[in-house]
Each structure stands twice: as C-alpha cells, then as structure tokens.
Amino acid sequence: MPRPRCERCQRPLDHCLCLLIPALGSRTRVILLQHPSESAHALNTARLAALGLSNAELRVGEVFDDLPALLATPDYRPALLFPGAEAQPLAAYGPVDEQPLLLIVPDGTWRKARKLLYLNPLLEGLPRVTLGQVAASRYRLRKAPEAGALSTIEAVVGALNALEQPACFDALLAPFEALIEGQIRAMGEETFQRNHGTE
C-alpha cells in the first residue's frame, strides 16, 4: 500500500517539506517546463521552486501547445535559461522600468531538456541566458554530467540572485537541502559514501 503523501509538496506525509518552503515574490516570472519523467521523481526540485515563488508556474509535458500565448505574456521579455554558444550571462536589472524576464527553465536530464527544446521549436528561437560563475552543486545524489551542472532549483536561485540583487533567494534552497539530507539518511552514510562520496 503506498504511503500517504502531502498533496502540496508530493512528499510522504512523514517527510513533508511544506514548513520549509518559503513564499517569495520576484520581478522575474519563472516558467518551469518539466519533462513528464521528472514529475514523479523523489528529488523533484522544479516543484519545490514553483511552490516557493509566487511568480512562478510549473508545467509538465513534452509539447506545449500554448507556448505562443505564454511567450507573449505582457510586460515581460522571454528568455531561455539554457547553456549554449549564444547564451548571455545574466546580470542585474537596470532601471526600475526595465522590463523583467519571463524566464523559461527546462527541467529534466540534459537529454530530456534538449528533447523539450527540439519538440517546441519556439524555445530554440528565444534569447538564451546562463549563469556566470557558479558554485559547485549541492545536489550530492546525482552525478553531474559536466562541471557547473546544477539542479533546477539551484539554477533558478542563481538566476534570480543575479537578476534581482541585492535581493536574495537562497531561502528557496532550504527544502532542497532537507530533501537531500533526508535521502542520505534513508540510504545510510555507508551506501551514500560508496555511491556518491568524493573519489
């Protein structure tokens, strides 16, 4: 019989993270496009990001038919948070009247995220933005495919911290940290070190 789950954070009730999820406002509108394979994942950081930001939305799917209307959201400039040769490092907003970003964030493995771009050609046409210098990921339970790879929630926090400084969005990472610590406790320190410890 499946364990009862919190309807909001989707975690088992005895591991609910809702008390740690902040309620943060932002000038930037964040749209998380999640590949369906990620939605049931135990470490669903995109969901945590969407729950912690009042100006964010999580959409699950492979093809997003309403993308033209979404990208035309009034008062925002759409941009894709994804690395690439043309990607521009994010910098703080200028004057108060500068139009904030509608930040589109693909969520999935690198392969699945690229598939989302392929299946939704409008995304490929967006200006790309990326983080500048990034700290090492705190995502100690997944092997990063390359240096500088972050979980979705870490990427969102890094982007918002860059765009909206001096505002700080690190509080979004509290449920993420608790999630990682809980998973490590559940697997046991020895198993964690064997599979994920430093080499």
Side-chain angles (χ1 to χ4, degrees):
M1 185 174 167
R3 295 155 76 187
R5 291 186 169 270
C6 169
E7 288 188 13
R8 183 167 179 255
C9 73
Q10 298 291 304
R11 299 290 299 154
L13 282 178
D14 52 349
H15 292 97
C16 174
L17 296 169
C18 288
L19 286 177
L20 296 172
I21 298 172
L24 304 177
S26 62
R27 281 182 66 194
T28 309
R29 178 145 182 78
V30 178
I31 305 293
L32 299 131
L33 300 180
Q34 185 176 69
H35 190 276
S37 65
E38 291 291 308
S39 62
H41 198 286
L43 305 175
N44 185 344
T45 73
R47 184 175 188 82
L48 293 177
L51 288 173
L53 290 167
S54 59
N55 198 11
E57 183 181 345
L58 176 66
R59 294 181 174 214
V60 180
E62 281 195 316
V63 176
F64 299 92
D65 294 327
D66 61 344
L67 212 45
L70 180 67
L71 296 178
T73 302
D75 304 320
Y76 289 99
R77 296 176 289 135
L80 180 71
L81 182 62
F82 203 79
E86 307 297 314
Q88 296 296 310
L90 288 167
Y93 289 130
V96 175
D97 61 355
E98 182 182 357
Q99 218 173 33
L101 291 183
L102 176 75
L103 193 64
I104 307 294
V105 184
D107 176 60
T109 62
W110 285 107
R111 192 167 71 74
K112 296 288 173 59
R114 288 189 185 96
K115 185 178 182 185
L116 288 178
L117 269 58
Y118 173 76
L119 292 175
N120 299 276
L122 279 177
L123 295 178
E124 288 277 18
L126 292 178
R128 285 196 191 195
V129 293
T130 186
L131 304 176
Q133 292 295 314
V134 296
S137 174
R138 306 179 200 192
Y139 208 167
R140 293 167 288 158
L141 296 177
R142 277 190 171 179
K143 291 269 193 287
E146 54 197 68
L150 299 174
S151 66
T152 298
I153 198 168
E154 290 173 305
V156 168
V157 168
L160 293 177
N161 281 348
L163 287 166
E164 304 198 18
Q165 53 189 281
C168 180
F169 293 83
D170 288 356
L172 263 184
L173 295 173
F176 170 66
E177 293 281 8
L179 184 62
I180 298 296
E181 290 300 327
Q183 293 289 119
I184 291 172
R185 275 197 308 275
M187 73 172 61
E189 185 66 27
E190 185 180 329
T191 303
F192 169 71
Q193 288 300 337
R194 187 167 63 248
N195 294 311
H196 304 282
T198 52
E199 297 170 7

